[in-house]
Every structure is written in C-alpha cells, then in structure tokens.
C-alpha cells in the first residue's frame, strides 16, 4: 500500500511538474474550470503532501531542510555531532552546533522556505476545494480536513523552530495579503490557530485511510495532544491522548528494532509518517529520504558521508545499573558495563554487529575519527542488503520518517499524568516503553552464541516523588526517541535547554575539541533566527528578529 501511495505522488508530480502546475502562481495558466476540476484539485492536494519531506526545488541539498530535523533537533542537543569531513564540511551546521547561528545560514533559510511552501500549498488546496462545485461534497470535507492537518503540522514546525512567525491562511490571495508581521499574533494566538487546524481535522477525517500517508482522525488528535504538551496544557493533553489510546488503533511493536525496518513503517506503532520510496519512477529518486542522505556511516557498505554522529554523552546515557535502571553519571561506557539494549539498535559502536550485514562496525568506518569519535548512526539507517536502500547516488532509502509514533504518544500520556500528580499512572506508561525494550530481541554476536553486550533494562518499581518521576520520564524520552529529531525541542519546552546543554558542553568539549568554542545562551538559542532574506523582503517594520540575533 505504501508503494501505491508513493507512486500516486510520483504520477501527480510527473504529470503536473513544479514548472507548470504545482506552484501557486502558475495555476492561472489553466482556465478557472480546469483549475477547479477534481483531478487537478487532487493534484494540488498531493503536492501539499509531497512537500513534507523538505524537498522544495529538486536541489540535492534537502539535507539543509530535513523533515527529520536531524540538524535542528539532534545536533543542537546533547545527542549528536554534525559529523562529516570536519568542521568545514557543511560549516554552517557546525556553526549551529557551537551556537554561533546567524540569520543568513542556509539551513535557517531553507527550513523556513520549505515549511512556508507547505503552508502555501495547503492553503491553495483549501481555496480550490472551497471553490470547486464539481468536487464530491463528502470527500471535499475530508480533503479540507487533510489540508488543515498538514497546515497545522507546518505551522507547528515553524512555531517550535522560530517561535514568532507570520500566520497566513487560505484567505490570502494578493501580494499584500502575504505582507504579514510575525508579531501580528501573540504566541498564545499562534498556538490557538494550530490547535484549531488539528481540531478541525479531527472532526473531518476518518478513523483510517485506504492510502497510507493520508492524515486520519487519530493522527489529528495525537498532534493536538502534542500541541497541548508543548503549551503545558496538561488537562487537555491528558484527555486528548486518552482518546487516541482508547481508540485501539495503535500498539507498540514487539521488537524495538523492527519499528525501523522499511517493511514495517506503516505498522501498528506509526500514527503519522512521511512516506518515502525509491525506484518509483521519479527521475532522481528524490521521493526517498532525501533530507537524511548524508547519514550513512561509511565503511565497506555505504558512502562515507558520515554525518549525524552520536555523542559520547548519548552513548553513556544508555548505561544501566544492576537493577536495569539508568545510571546517568556520564562516565564512558566500558565493555563490562550493563547497557540498555536500545543503545546498539540506535547507535553503531566498534565491535558490535551492524544491522544484518554480517560485519562488525569498526571505528575505521567513521569519517574524521579524530574530530567526531568512533560512533555512527544506526537506528534510521537501512541495511545495504535491503531493496529499500539505493546503493547509488543519491544514496537514499525508503524508510519513512515517523512524525508521531505510539511510543512517543505513551510518553506524552506519562508526562501529562505526572504533571497532574498521578505518578503511578506515569510510571505505568513509562514502563510500557521500557518493557518493550526489555522484551525486544537483543543484538547478537555474529555467530549467534551470545549477546553483543551486557544488556539489562528493567521497569521502574516506584517513584518516590515528582522529581524522580519527571526525571525518569525525561530520560526515557531521550533513550527511546534518540536520533529521531526530538531532543532539542524537548529540552526547550521543559525550560532546561541552557542548563542541560551547557553542562553537556563542559564535559564534552574535553572529549571533542570541535566544541571548544560552544556556549548556549539562555533567552537566545532556544529558537532559530528569522531568516535575513525574510527580514529584507518584508522589512523591519513587519518582522521583529528573535532576541539576540
């Protein structure tokens, strides 16, 4: 089913290329009747979905606007180094990593452009749907719900990355309508607009869709939960998340590793995902995971791009004690230590088998070992043996990117419960995630005779108080969701980014000298600057630059 949906996207994009249909300004080349024909409206709808992967112009550098947020959510946190061929390779991401970001950085600009192009396409589709009398009435309501879901997603991303943003809806048509100040709406009002889109989507959408990748009622409710969580609206979040859990539509997969196999990426755990495919007829295979194409670890199986590298701090976070609970001492893991089994599914460590390649990962695979250390990415890397991996340029794969998966949702439920004073419910939901890790298949040595490390993870028996519970929750989110683009945004919403990151840097710079000049400034680095090109285009009377930039 995934392949069918991706081919549908490919056909739509091939038949209606960005040069002659999908850009808003070229709709005028069609007659009004043609533009409002159901098949052409559906083409615009598909174009709105297609922008989810961050690809805006058929350029090769969608890694500067990655849907996975590997640079924005992981490299800016304590979970990942930029990697690559030293600090000069994609130097602008290095500048982001050491908190020397400025408004001219290409990643800051392209991420903004990709997200607003998504907003633009969703708005365009809503306008056409509202104007089309030929479009099936019942299906029209559903499609508008899908577009409001996508618009909510694009604005959510803009809000969490840039904070104060211009808000433009489907009523904007003239050039003047787009000259909107980023302070026209307050932060609370922006959140309200995002909530309204997800609420409308929840009302309009079906429980399930025939075509994987289309938004559903429960995906909208899950995203509404996330919106409440980011605002610390715990009562609302708790009620919304309960609806999704009680729907019975989702469950944890039995095996943690299987979640990240392409053949399972529309499985029971996936609430909403960006659909990727390869060898689908698109001329450059840009329907694959183009934003993450620099992640392969090198070695004998992959090109040696070597980006998105695990930090020593992240490796150490998986160490456990004799009770199978996190140690959290940031002392380097040794061969005899107990470790959470998710460590060797998430990261590549020397001497540990790499996926199903019948080979041990070696530090010789690591590009620029002296700068970035020996570890590599693993969780979202597709096996070179898989038909879902493209072994030629642009070296992309067909693994979907999971915007929301069920483990994430369970941890929101745990967090809401803890914040509302129900520590026991919080413990139970955290333990659902830990028990899955405990019962998963562990990485084995090549001959299958023993586990590859001393794996030990156990559920929590109790929480003595709120501090113990919230620490466990935050630790579990890191261990479960590492290298999925969430960590930095969690730290910001918890209000602890400056402390956690500066504590991390104090130790990590003694291990990795490329971090020598890094320092996180509270009140500034929680958000990216508004791109300078946007400021220049609209003017300083309309755009207020974020503090400190």
């Amino acid at each position: 089913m995934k392949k069918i949906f991706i081919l549908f996207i490919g056909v739509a994009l091939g038949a209606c290329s960005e040069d002659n249909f999908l850009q808003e300004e070229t709709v005028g080349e069609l007659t009004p009747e043609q533009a409002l024909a159901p098949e052409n409206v559906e083409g615009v709808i598909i174009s709105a979905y297609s922008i989810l992967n961050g690809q805006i112009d058929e350029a090769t550098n969608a890694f500067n606007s990655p849907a996975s947020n590997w640079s924005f959510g992981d490299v800016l946190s304590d979970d990942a180094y930029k990697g690559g061929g030293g600090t000069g390779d994609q130097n602008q991401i290095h500048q982001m990593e050491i908190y020397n970001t400025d408004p001219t950085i290409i990643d800051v600009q392209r991420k903004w452009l990709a997200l607003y192009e998504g907003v633009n396409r969703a708005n365009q589709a809503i306008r056409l749907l509202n104007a089309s009398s030929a479009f099936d009435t019942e299906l029209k309501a559903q499609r508008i719900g899908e577009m409001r879901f996508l618009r909510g997603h694009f604005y959510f991303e803009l809000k969490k990355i840039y904070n104060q943003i211009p808000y433009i809806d489907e009523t904007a048509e003239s050039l003047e309508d787009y000259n909107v100040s980023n302070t026209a709406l307050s932060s609370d009002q922006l959140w309200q607009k995002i909530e309204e889109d997800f609420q409308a989507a929840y009302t309009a959408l079906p429980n399930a869709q025939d075509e994987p990748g289309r938004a559903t009622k429960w995906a909208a409710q899950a995203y509404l939960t996330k919106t409440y969580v980011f605002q610390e609206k715990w009562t609302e979040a708790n009620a919304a998340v309960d609806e999704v859990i009680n729907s019975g539509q989702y469950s944890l997969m039995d095996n943690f590793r299987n979640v990240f196999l392409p053949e399972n990426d529309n499985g029971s755990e996936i609430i909403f995902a960006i659909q990727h495919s390869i060898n689908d007829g698109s001329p450059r295979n840009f329907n694959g995971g183009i934003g993450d194409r620099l992640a392969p670890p090198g070695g004998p199986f992959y090109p040696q791009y070597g980006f998105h590298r695990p930090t020593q701090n992240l490796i150490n976070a998986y160490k456990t004690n004799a009770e199978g609970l996190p140690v959290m001492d940031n002392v380097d893991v040794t061969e005899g230590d107990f470790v959470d089994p998710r460590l060797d599914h998430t990261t590549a460590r020397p001497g540990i088998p790499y996926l199903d390649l019948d080979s041990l990962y070696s530090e010789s695979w690591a590009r620029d070992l002296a700068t970035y250390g020996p570890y590599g990415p693993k969780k979202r890397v597709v096996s070179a043996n898989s038909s879902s991996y493209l072994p030629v340029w642009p070296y992309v794969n067909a693994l979907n990117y999971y915007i929301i998966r069920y483990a994430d949702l369970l941890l929101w439920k745990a967090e809401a419960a803890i914040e509302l004073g129900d520590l026991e419910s919080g413990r139970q939901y955290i333990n659902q995630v830990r028990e899955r890790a405990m019962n998963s298949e562990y990485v084995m040595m090549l001959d299958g005779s023993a586990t590859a490390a001393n794996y030990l993870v156990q559920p929590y028996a109790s929480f003595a108080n709120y501090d113990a519970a919230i620490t466990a929750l935050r630790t579990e989110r890191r261990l479960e969701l590492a290298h999925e683009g969430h960590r930095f945004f969690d730290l910001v919403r918890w209000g602890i980014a400056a402390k956690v990151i500066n504590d991390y840097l104090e130790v990590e710079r003694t291990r990795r000298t490329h971090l020598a000049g890094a320092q996180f400034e509270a009140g500034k680095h929680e958000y990216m600057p508004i791109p300078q090109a946007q400021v220049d285009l609209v003017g300083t009377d309309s755009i207020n630059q974020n503090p400190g930039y």
Side-chain angles (χ1 to χ4, degrees):
M1 292 298 292
K2 170 187 173 183
K3 296 281 187 184
I4 293 172
F5 184 52
I6 288 296
L7 284 172
F8 180 33
I9 290 176
V11 169
L13 290 174
C16 308
S17 73
E18 290 187 358
D19 292 335
N20 60 23
F21 182 69
L22 297 182
Q23 297 284 352
E24 179 181 6
E25 60 268 20
T26 62
V27 171
E29 296 176 6
L30 302 173
T31 67
E33 292 78 11
Q34 289 173 325
L36 297 176
E39 62 271 19
N40 287 336
V41 177
E42 287 283 15
V44 177
I45 290 167
I46 294 303
S47 83
Y49 275 102
S50 76
I51 205 70
L52 282 169
N53 76 349
Q55 176 58 268
I56 56 178
D57 53 10
E58 287 298 297
T60 63
N61 62 339
F63 51 78
N64 296 125
S65 52
S68 68
N69 286 324
W70 69 267
S71 47
F72 293 88
D74 293 336
V75 173
L76 285 178
S77 78
D78 49 356
D79 275 5
Y81 312 131
K82 171 187 72 70
T87 59
D89 190 358
Q90 294 294 316
N91 177 259
Q92 79 285 352
I93 304 179
H94 169 68
Q95 298 303 318
M96 292 165 60
E97 182 178 7
I98 64 172
Y99 307 101
N100 192 32
T101 308
D102 70 62
T104 68
I105 281 179
I106 186 173
D107 303 73
V108 172
Q109 171 76 4
R110 286 187 65 86
K111 187 69 173 177
W112 176 279
L113 288 175
L115 293 171
Y116 271 110
E117 178 62 17
V119 169
N120 175 52
R121 294 186 189 187
N123 282 339
Q124 180 188 3
I126 293 170
R127 284 197 302 271
L128 292 174
L129 283 161
N130 283 329
S132 177
S133 59
F135 209 96
D136 176 82
T137 301
E138 184 176 346
L139 184 59
K140 177 188 291 189
Q142 178 178 315
R143 293 290 190 254
I144 290 174
E146 290 179 36
M147 293 302 96
R148 294 199 68 175
F149 177 93
L150 292 187
R151 187 172 68 184
H153 163 74
F154 292 127
Y155 273 125
F156 186 96
E157 289 286 286
L158 284 159
K159 184 75 175 73
K160 78 180 186 184
I161 294 171
Y162 300 96
N163 195 25
Q164 280 303 126
I165 54 172
Y167 186 87
I168 302 161
D169 64 16
E170 72 276 12
T171 63
E173 296 188 41
S174 70
L175 188 60
E176 290 183 355
D177 292 336
Y178 288 86
N179 187 14
V180 177
S181 171
N182 68 328
T183 58
L185 297 180
S186 69
S187 180
D188 287 345
Q189 288 171 324
L190 287 168
W191 280 123
Q192 181 62 35
K193 291 287 189 183
I194 296 168
E195 287 179 20
E196 288 170 1
D197 272 343
F198 290 130
Q199 287 165 343
Y202 171 80
T203 299
L205 292 175
N207 291 351
Q209 295 266 22
D210 291 336
E211 295 170 315
R214 290 192 183 272
T216 66
K217 174 186 292 290
W218 303 118
Q221 190 74 338
Y223 224 138
L224 183 61
T225 300
K226 187 173 185 177
T227 304
Y228 290 143
V229 165
F230 268 66
Q231 298 174 83
E232 299 183 336
K233 292 183 174 180
W234 300 117
T235 299
E236 294 89 338
N238 193 55
V241 75
D242 277 349
E243 279 201 54
V244 184
I245 292 171
N246 294 336
S247 74
Q249 296 290 308
Y250 308 101
S251 60
L252 293 176
M253 295 188 70
D254 291 339
N255 187 358
F256 178 77
R257 172 59 195 158
N258 286 352
V259 179
F260 306 98
L261 296 177
E263 54 266 36
N264 297 327
D265 60 11
N266 284 309
S268 66
E269 189 160 338
I270 310 309
I271 298 176
F272 188 73
I274 299 170
Q275 305 292 303
H276 289 147
S277 69
I278 60 172
N279 298 321
D280 59 4
S282 62
R284 304 172 82 185
N285 276 295
F286 282 2
N287 285 335
I290 188 67
D292 297 328
R293 73 181 187 88
L294 300 184
F301 302 99
Y302 299 97
Q304 197 172 53
Y305 288 127
F307 284 73
H308 200 189
R309 302 272 280 280
T311 65
Q312 184 67 56
N313 185 284
L314 176 64
I315 299 293
N316 295 342
Y318 285 94
K319 187 163 54 172
T320 60
N321 60 22
E323 286 72 48
L325 300 177
V327 174
M328 297 166 52
D329 62 4
N330 196 22
V331 174
D332 289 0
V333 171
T334 64
E335 186 176 349
D337 287 328
F338 293 119
V339 292
D340 187 313
R342 288 172 291 188
L343 169 62
D344 290 327
H345 290 302
T346 301
T347 70
R349 295 194 298 151
I352 305 294
Y354 196 85
L355 303 179
D356 63 351
L357 299 178
D358 198 29
S359 180
L360 301 179
Y361 176 83
S362 167
E363 65 178 24
S364 66
W365 296 25
R367 189 179 182 194
D368 200 346
L369 176 67
T371 301
Y372 297 112
Y375 308 113
K378 192 175 187 182
K379 175 190 276 186
R380 300 191 63 253
V381 176
V382 172
S383 168
N385 289 336
S386 172
S387 61
S388 294
Y389 173 71
L390 191 70
V392 297
W393 189 92
Y395 303 105
V396 294
N397 64 66
L399 177 65
N400 290 350
Y401 175 67
Y402 310 142
I403 293 177
I404 301 176
R405 62 183 179 93
Y406 192 56
D408 198 2
L409 188 91
L410 291 176
L411 294 175
W412 292 332
K413 170 61 181 179
E415 187 172 0
I418 292 167
E419 293 292 352
L420 292 171
D422 187 355
L423 306 190
E424 178 55 23
S425 288
R427 184 185 72 87
Q428 291 175 14
Y429 281 101
I430 292 170
N431 280 347
Q432 284 190 41
V433 177
R434 291 185 67 78
E435 286 165 358
R436 192 266 294 275
M438 178 179 69
N439 295 323
S440 290
E441 295 176 10
Y442 297 167
V443 175
M444 303 296 290
M445 293 307 296
L446 293 180
D447 64 3
S449 62
T451 58
N454 294 326
Y455 300 124
L456 182 63
V457 61
Q458 292 289 329
Y460 290 96
S462 64
F463 293 141
N465 50 41
Y466 167 84
D467 288 343
I470 205 65
T471 297
L473 178 280
R474 292 174 178 178
T475 300
E476 196 62 28
R477 283 194 62 82
R478 186 185 193 190
L479 301 176
E480 175 69 19
L481 300 168
H483 281 206
E484 296 181 53
H486 302 301
R487 174 66 171 171
F488 179 76
F489 304 110
D490 276 345
L491 294 176
V492 170
R493 72 178 177 84
W494 290 329
I496 60 174
K499 175 170 175 47
V500 169
I501 292 172
N502 283 327
D503 286 350
Y504 151 75
L505 290 170
E506 184 177 356
V507 177
E508 205 76 5
R509 66 169 59 97
T510 68
R511 299 164 167 157
R512 307 284 184 257
T513 57
H514 76 284
L515 297 173
Q519 188 69 27
F520 187 100
E521 182 180 335
K524 175 181 179 180
H525 290 129
E526 289 86 354
Y527 299 101
M528 291 286 104
I530 307 299
Q532 189 61 44
Q534 180 69 20
V535 177
D536 293 342
L537 179 67
V538 180
T540 55
D541 290 341
S542 293
I543 297 295
N544 284 9
Q545 185 54 271
N546 283 333
Y549 293 104

